[in-house]
């Protein structure tokens, strides 16, 4: 087989007998796919930009109203639960330190921040 025949071995009449002809993927198909993706992204962007201003104009609330309505009771309870967990961990670390165990700097920082955590819990108003 010559070099030229080897280059073009999958095209033309040099195919496997009885096999279905294969379609070669050309650069046109690839660029067509990319252009479709770009067009889809552009359409999605325009939809988002159309939706955002309509939401902003339909909501005539002040920033204070947004913060109170955004933080629901469930979110406050979740935050309180995580703060209680941090306080519990800080108390355990404090008792370990009092027993004479040496702690890592990060653990000491957690003990130091315990008062701040108590203030955050009191600010939520869910201290049980």
């Amino acid at each position: 087989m010559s070099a030229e025949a080897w280059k073009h071995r999958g095209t033309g009449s040099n195919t496997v007998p009885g096999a279905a002809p294969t379609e070669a993927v050309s650069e046109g198909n690839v660029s067509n796919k990319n252009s479709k993706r770009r067009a889809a992204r552009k359409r999605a962007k325009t939809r988002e930009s159309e939706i955002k201003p309509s939401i902003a104009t339909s909501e005539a609330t002040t920033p204070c109203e947004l913060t109170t309505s955004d933080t629901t009771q469930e979110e406050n309870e979740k935050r309180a639960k995580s703060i209680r967990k941090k306080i519990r961990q800080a108390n355990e670390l404090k008792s370990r330190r009092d027993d004479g165990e040496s702690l890592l700097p990060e653990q000491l920082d957690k003990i130091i921040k315990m008062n701040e955590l108590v203030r955050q819990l009191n600010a939520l108003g869910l201290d049980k």
Side-chain angles (χ1 to χ4, degrees):
M1 185 182 279
S2 70
E4 197 62 34
W6 179 258
K7 271 186 178 175
H8 302 291
R9 67 184 177 275
T11 61
S13 63
N14 294 337
T15 59
V16 177
T22 58
E23 294 180 22
V25 177
S26 66
E27 290 296 319
N29 290 344
V30 174
S31 66
N32 191 16
K33 288 180 186 179
N34 289 334
S35 64
K36 288 179 185 178
R37 288 181 188 151
R38 275 185 295 228
R41 284 187 195 132
K42 194 179 284 188
R43 282 192 305 269
K45 252 186 209 179
T46 56
R47 284 187 204 133
E48 286 178 9
S49 63
E50 290 171 358
I51 292 172
K52 286 181 182 179
S54 66
I55 291 173
T57 56
S58 67
E59 293 179 3
T61 58
T62 62
C64 295
E65 292 172 351
L66 286 176
T67 56
T68 57
S69 65
D70 285 345
T71 56
T72 63
Q73 185 69 20
E74 291 177 8
E75 290 173 353
N76 285 341
E77 288 174 2
K78 285 181 183 180
R79 289 179 61 205
K81 183 179 178 182
S82 69
I83 292 172
R84 283 189 207 105
K85 180 180 178 183
K86 290 176 184 178
I87 291 172
R88 184 178 63 246
Q89 289 173 343
N91 283 330
E92 290 172 1
L93 290 172
K94 188 175 182 181
S95 65
R96 284 174 48 191
R97 184 188 65 180
D98 293 342
D99 290 341
E101 189 175 333
S102 62
L103 300 177
L104 297 172
E106 296 87 15
Q107 293 171 326
L108 293 173
D109 289 340
K110 190 175 269 192
I111 293 172
I112 293 169
K113 292 180 182 178
M114 191 164 56
N115 290 333
E116 183 182 336
L117 293 171
V118 170
R119 275 183 264 153
Q120 288 177 0
L121 188 62
N122 289 337
L124 286 175
L126 297 173
D127 52 339
K128 291 182 182 178

